[in-house]
């Protein structure tokens, strides 16, 4: 997986996801656009970035110190697209594994600590 470049220097508009075979190399690939998957929609709407702007739905390598270049990204749409794409090639990859149970092991309660007696006054 890598970022897809735009026509602008150091600016990226999506993800390049590829299936790579150990012997044959890349056998399939897809470009997933940030615009198509709403990755920066919330950020761009908050900043009033016009849809026809080169900054809409992209990020570049210039950013504030301490912030990632993709600050404000909402990756849910991309994640769903990646799961759908990889599900074609690896149908069982996204199934939730069932937790294994080890027989003979059970949780045991620790004994309660003895009641502590606080110093009391005697008359």
């Amino acid at each position: 997986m890598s970022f897809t470049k735009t026509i602008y220097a150091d600016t990226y508009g999506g993800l390049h996801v590829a299936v790579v075979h150990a012997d044959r190399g890349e056998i399939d690939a897809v470009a997933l656009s940030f615009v198509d998957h709403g990755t920066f929609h919330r950020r761009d709407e908050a900043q009033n970035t016009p849809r026809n702007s080169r900054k809409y739905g992209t990020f570049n390598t210039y950013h504030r110190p301490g912030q990632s270049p993709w600050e404000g990204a909402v990756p849910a749409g991309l994640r769903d697209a990646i799961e759908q794409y990889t599900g074609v090639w690896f149908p069982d990859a996204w199934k939730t594994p069932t937790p294994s149970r080890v027989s003979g092991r059970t949780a045991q309660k620790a004994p309660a600590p003895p009641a502590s007696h606080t110093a009391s006054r005697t008359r």
Side-chain angles (χ1 to χ4, degrees):
M1 192 174 333
S2 61
F3 293 115
T4 58
K5 295 179 180 182
T6 66
I7 62 172
Y8 303 103
D10 301 321
T11 302
Y12 304 94
L15 292 178
H16 173 222
V17 181
V19 176
V20 180
H21 187 274
D23 297 326
R24 298 190 329 230
E26 187 175 290
I27 56 176
D28 192 49
V30 64
L32 302 174
S33 164
F34 293 143
V35 171
D36 292 344
H37 296 93
T39 307
F40 292 106
H41 178 74
R42 189 178 300 165
R43 177 203 67 186
D44 293 340
E45 291 295 313
Q47 295 177 355
N48 294 320
T49 305
R51 277 192 161 270
N52 58 353
S53 166
R54 69 182 177 131
K55 291 184 178 183
Y56 189 87
T58 65
F59 77 88
N60 60 36
T61 56
Y62 309 106
H63 54 89
R64 294 182 189 145
Q67 283 188 332
S68 66
W70 46 86
E71 188 73 28
V74 178
L78 277 175
R79 181 195 61 231
D80 293 345
I82 292 167
E83 287 180 7
Q84 183 180 4
Y85 175 73
T86 56
V88 170
W89 288 95
F90 311 101
D92 296 330
W94 296 104
K95 288 186 179 177
T96 306
T98 306
S100 62
R101 297 184 184 246
V102 179
S103 62
R105 297 191 122 191
T106 59
Q108 296 181 9
K109 292 184 179 179
S116 63
H117 297 287
T118 57
S120 60
R121 292 186 177 168
T122 56
R123 292 187 179 191

